[in-house]
């Protein structure tokens, strides 16, 4: 099937906590929209994004962003210096440490500018609980495919399947310390 069939509607995005801005409306301060594809722009119609965040005195902020294309090639992988003082690196989840971030000078605005040359308004962005990533990037985008919706339970809309569970179930891969359940014996 065409990826368009899996794109979240504006209503779904609002319900899941995405920042949604109608066409022509003003984007919230600090947020940006991707640009239309310019002539000669690299062909990158599908990307997957994953971000890592830390806790700062102002809440969660971006510390790393990774983008891969549909050929499974990493096209962007950058550490990002949060604007505010870090109170918890959340290293046990993100792998990002004080030592990794200390020399980093790249800020969120730098990342937004660089991503605007790699992905565009017509790019499909795929991810898991992608609202967290796009909100950390302060990025408004309409063409999102979110695995928590694709593989979620329609009878329990607030239940979000863990990425490690989906990776094991559909790909046979153990990630993030996932241990498959023991088979039940008769």
């Amino acid at each position: 099937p065409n990826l368009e069939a899996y794109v979240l509607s504006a209503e779904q995005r609002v319900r899941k906590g995405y920042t949604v801005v109608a066409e022509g409306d003003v984007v919230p301060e600090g947020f940006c929209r991707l640009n239309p594809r310019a002539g000669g722009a690299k062909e990158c119609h599908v990307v997957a994004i994953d971000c890592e965040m830390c806790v700062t005195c102002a809440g969660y902020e971006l510390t790393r962003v990774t983008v891969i294309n549909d050929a499974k090639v990493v096209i962007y992988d950058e550490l990002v210096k949060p604007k505010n003082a870090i109170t918890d690196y959340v290293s046990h989840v993100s792998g990002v440490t004080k030592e990794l971030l200390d020399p980093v000078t790249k800020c969120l605005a730098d990342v937004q500018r660089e991503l605007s040359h790699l992905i565009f308004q017509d790019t499909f962005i795929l991810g898991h609980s992608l609202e967290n990533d796009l909100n950390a990037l302060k990025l408004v985008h309409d063409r999102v495919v979110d695995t928590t919706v694709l593989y979620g339970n329609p009878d329990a809309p607030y239940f979000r399947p863990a990425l490690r569970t989906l990776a094991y179930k559909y790909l046979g891969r153990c990630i993030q310390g996932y241990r498959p359940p023991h088979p039940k014996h008769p």
Side-chain angles (χ1 to χ4, degrees):
N2 184 330
L3 269 179
E4 198 69 53
Y6 302 112
V7 169
L8 299 187
S9 68
E11 180 184 326
Q12 286 175 306
R13 292 193 318 273
V14 166
R15 205 171 38 242
K16 287 209 25 91
Y18 286 79
T19 300
V20 177
V21 178
E23 195 64 42
D25 285 355
V26 176
V27 175
E29 185 177 341
F31 278 74
C32 70
R33 261 191 202 281
L34 295 170
N35 298 318
R37 187 176 303 274
K42 290 184 180 179
E43 295 298 311
C44 201
H45 293 286
V46 179
V47 298
I49 291 182
D50 186 44
C51 293
E52 302 301 336
M53 281 74 89
C54 67
V55 181
T56 71
C57 58
Y60 284 96
E61 289 189 54
L62 184 68
T63 56
R64 184 177 197 158
V65 57
T66 305
V67 181
I68 65 168
N69 65 16
D70 58 351
K72 301 179 193 171
V73 174
V74 175
I75 60 171
Y76 191 83
D77 187 25
E78 294 290 337
L79 292 167
V80 185
K81 182 74 85 178
K83 178 180 179 181
N84 296 288
I86 297 171
T87 58
D88 184 356
Y89 285 84
V90 199
S91 299
H92 67 286
V93 175
S94 69
V96 177
T97 62
K98 179 180 183 344
E99 294 74 27
L100 280 174
L101 278 185
D102 274 348
V104 173
T105 58
K106 187 166 292 210
C107 68
L108 176 59
D110 298 327
V111 170
Q112 290 173 327
R113 185 175 48 260
E114 291 166 359
L115 288 178
S116 74
H117 298 291
L118 294 172
I119 53 181
F120 305 93
Q121 282 179 357
D122 66 342
T123 303
F124 291 99
I125 299 179
L126 286 61
H128 188 79
S129 288
L130 197 53
E131 74 280 4
N132 298 316
D133 302 312
L134 294 183
N135 285 331
L137 287 164
K138 295 189 180 238
L139 182 62
V140 175
H141 192 66
D142 298 336
R143 298 184 90 194
V144 295
V145 179
D146 191 324
T147 57
T148 62
V149 174
L150 282 179
Y151 298 102
N153 182 343
D155 296 327
Y158 295 102
F159 170 76
R160 295 180 180 195
L163 182 60
R164 62 184 166 269
T165 304
L166 295 176
Y168 182 75
K169 182 176 181 178
Y170 294 100
L171 303 174
R173 296 185 64 189
C174 291
I175 64 167
Q176 301 173 336
Y178 180 75
R179 294 185 199 301
H182 294 291
K184 294 181 177 152
H185 297 291

